[in-house]
Amino acid sequence: MILYPAIDIHGGHAVRLVQGDYERETAYDADPLDAAERWLEQGAQALHVVDLDGARQGAPVNIEHLARICDGCPVAVQAGGGLRAAGDVESVLAAGAARAILGTAALADPALIEALAAEHGERIVVAADARDGRVAIEGWGRESAIGSAELVEQLGARGVRRFLYTPIEVDGTLEGPSVESLREVAAAAERADAALTYSGGIGTLGHLRALARLKLAALDGVVVGRALYEGAFTVEQAQAALAAGQR
């Protein structure tokens, strides 16, 4: 299981939000590349980059920062935020990202997602992030009528092989993962023969060990943000905790 340190970019800085609320933002690094390099020094095997400006505006804004991170860090980078057209995906992949994450487009244009998955395979990740069980879209500003597990099953049938799941109510709180909802979404991913990355609520090494001990077949990665920025543990310690939980 891989740890993905999160780098959320807003206004050119590396920040973290609480429950997706832009009014509850904390800026940690003036330059997002500084955060990326710090995680790399701590042993990061991959990075998770979100263009928060792009998520709100509906098109990528921070491609230049993404390219700098990809150029400066020799690990796989998955990136999203405002990717709602094929050209947006191409721009992210051209910037050096190993994977492109789409959210709103997954509901607005499932045929596009199917075409992208057919062309790019596992380089396409669909975010089934949800608030109160319903998939949230448009920068988490609006809830849809569909549940995360249902979205995973529908798009898995269309060829998507990688998903991201964030229960928004725990995101940035450090209070622990939403285990029961994760079980449901992971089961849907397993039925779809797809991989799942979890994000949200991780505040301690114990939370990471607990996730690993679930031994969910589809779960192969965990995104961590605020806990790393605030020094609750290092990337190296987090990776060790995940490994220990899997034994």
Side-chain angles (χ1 to χ4, degrees):
M1 195 177 297
I2 295 176
L3 182 92
Y4 292 86
I7 304 171
D8 291 354
I9 304 174
H10 186 215
H13 307 306
V15 309
R16 291 299 292 165
L17 309 181
V18 176
Q19 298 174 323
D21 187 347
Y22 285 77
E23 299 301 317
R24 301 169 70 189
E25 175 185 292
T26 301
Y28 290 100
D29 289 276
D31 186 344
L33 182 58
D34 290 342
E37 291 176 340
R38 183 166 62 255
W39 308 145
L40 200 67
E41 289 170 1
Q42 292 184 14
Q45 302 172 25
L47 297 171
H48 177 84
V49 177
V50 177
D51 180 350
L52 292 176
D53 299 287
R56 286 188 110 177
Q57 295 185 33
V61 172
N62 289 295
I63 290 292
E64 181 180 346
H65 285 298
L66 173 63
R68 291 172 62 237
I69 291 170
C70 292
D71 287 344
C73 300
V75 297
V77 177
Q78 59 182 26
L83 309 187
R84 301 180 191 175
D88 299 336
V89 171
E90 296 298 339
S91 67
V92 163
L93 297 180
R99 296 176 186 148
I101 306 167
L102 298 97
T104 301
L107 283 105
D109 194 350
L112 169 66
I113 302 299
E114 184 173 8
L116 289 169
E119 180 178 358
H120 297 291
E122 291 199 8
R123 299 187 75 185
I124 299 301
V125 181
V126 167
D129 304 333
R131 182 180 285 108
D132 297 325
R134 297 298 175 184
V135 174
I137 57 177
E138 298 173 5
W140 290 357
R142 184 166 68 88
E143 286 79 56
S144 69
I146 190 172
S148 295
E150 185 181 355
L151 180 66
V152 168
E153 290 186 345
Q154 289 183 3
L155 294 182
R158 286 178 174 264
V160 176
R161 289 295 170 262
R162 297 203 69 89
F163 292 90
L164 170 71
Y165 172 58
T166 309
I168 297 168
E169 55 267 24
V170 303
D171 190 59
T173 66
L174 306 178
E175 295 175 359
S178 178
V179 173
E180 290 310 310
S181 69
L182 171 59
R183 286 184 190 275
E184 181 183 3
V185 178
E190 184 177 359
R191 289 192 295 271
D193 193 25
L196 179 69
T197 299
Y198 173 81
S199 176
I202 305 300
T204 69
L205 293 174
H207 292 155
L208 292 170
R209 285 190 288 268
L211 282 181
R213 289 190 188 113
L214 295 174
K215 300 191 185 304
L216 301 173
L219 184 64
D220 70 355
V222 181
V223 177
V224 177
R226 183 180 167 192
L228 288 172
Y229 284 97
E230 297 191 356
F233 46 77
T234 67
V235 171
E236 183 178 15
Q237 290 170 332
Q239 280 289 172
L242 289 172
Q246 290 180 291
R247 288 198 287 270

